[in-house]
Amino acid sequence: MHNNNRFKDFLQKRGYYIVALICALAVGVSGYLFITRQDPGEAQLSSAGVPQVVEEPTDEESTPPAQRNAGDSVDAAAVLPDVTPEPEEEPTAFTMIMPVEGDLAQLYAMEHLSYNSTTRDWRTHDGIDICSYVGAEVRAAADGTVASIYEDDSLGTVVTVSHRDGYLTRYCNLDPVPTVAVGDEVLQGETIGAVGTTALLEAGMTDHLHFELCCDAVSLNPTDYFDF
């Protein structure tokens, strides 16, 4: 009984402090549990004054995509279809046949002077003279189109035929009446006229056809293009 009285006296004197201590402990435990159970995202401070932790990017993330897989790149030539263009065919060389049968009486001479028996002087000769006879058939040296027919003061009746790639043939000293007209399409070997005596510049020579060749208005040696 004596002990019970002493315990009651203790509670009366110290009870307030004991209760306060128990409450404080309860509040502390509750706060701790509240903080530890709170979502980690909500527990982070977002104040501008609090330093933020920035994670450094890994080597893979910092490598540009173009370089990241460089080791695994595929050879484009191995997977793309073969698109190599086929080589273009070289154009066929321009060739001709002799426009009239006969031997050469006078050769092409543009780099040196040739003697003219009619004028009795030395001069250039921008064609060849093929010996023949008056009335002999003159044929187209290559496929083409009759470009012009006219009378030349020196070379008489002239027929010109245009061909592919800028080539043009010129048939001079013809009979005054050719067998073709301007604009006619002619095939190689087709008759375009006959040998005449209309070329005053070469009247002192034997009967012949004066024949010229040029390409893009540049005179050429016809004998270099004959397909014998």
Side-chain angles (χ1 to χ4, degrees), residues 195-224:
V195 174
T197 57
T198 55
L200 299 180
L201 183 63
E202 298 179 350
M205 297 176 57
T206 184
D207 297 338
H208 68 280
L209 172 73
H210 178 92
F211 179 69
E212 300 177 4
L213 171 69
C214 64
C215 183
D216 297 329
V218 177
S219 178
L220 301 172
N221 186 347
T223 58
D224 292 336

Side-chain angles (χ1 to χ4, degrees), residues 10-227:
F10 177 77
L11 290 177
Q12 290 177 354
K13 294 179 180 180
R14 306 294 184 183
Y16 172 78
Y17 297 103
I18 294 173
V19 172
L21 179 61
I22 292 172
C23 290
L25 291 173
V27 171
V29 172
S30 299
Y32 174 79
L33 293 176
F34 175 79
I35 293 174
T36 56
R37 292 181 180 180
Q38 189 177 8
D39 184 76
E42 297 178 357
Q44 293 181 356
L45 295 178
S46 60
S47 172
V50 179
Q52 301 296 314
V53 178
V54 179
E55 295 184 358
E56 293 291 334
T58 63
D59 292 340
E60 183 177 357
E61 293 174 345
S62 61
T63 302
Q67 301 178 6
R68 191 179 302 166
N69 300 323
D72 301 329
S73 60
V74 179
D75 185 4
V79 298
L80 292 178
D82 185 9
V83 293
T84 303
E86 296 182 0
E88 296 183 0
E89 295 183 359
E90 295 184 1
T92 305
F94 180 76
T95 59
M96 306 181 298
I97 62 171
M98 289 278 286
V100 67
E101 295 182 3
D103 297 326
L104 295 181
Q106 191 163 1
L107 300 178
Y108 180 84
M110 291 301 290
E111 295 181 355
H112 61 274
L113 298 180
S114 175
Y115 183 75
N116 186 304
S117 59
T118 302
T119 58
R120 297 182 180 182
D121 61 5
W122 294 82
R123 61 180 63 201
T124 58
H125 190 242
D126 59 353
I128 58 174
D129 294 335
I130 307 172
C131 292
S132 186
Y133 58 91
V134 175
E137 291 186 349
V138 176
R139 303 170 296 170
D143 297 348
T145 304
V146 177
S148 63
I149 299 175
Y150 61 94
E151 292 295 325
D152 185 89
D153 293 339
S154 299
L155 296 175
T157 302
V158 178
V159 172
T160 63
V161 179
S162 62
H163 310 278
R164 63 176 177 86
D165 302 328
Y167 288 94
L168 185 136
T169 50
R170 192 175 183 218
Y171 310 79
C172 312
N173 195 34
L174 295 177
D175 183 85
V177 184
T179 58
V180 292
V182 175
D184 286 353
E185 299 289 335
V186 293
L187 299 177
Q188 185 179 70
E190 185 175 343
T191 301
I192 62 173
V195 174
T197 57
T198 55
L200 299 180
L201 183 63
E202 298 179 350
M205 297 176 57
T206 184
D207 297 338
H208 68 280
L209 172 73
H210 178 92
F211 179 69
E212 300 177 4
L213 171 69
C214 64
C215 183
D216 297 329
V218 177
S219 178
L220 301 172
N221 186 347
T223 58
D224 292 336
Y225 295 85
F226 286 140
D227 184 15

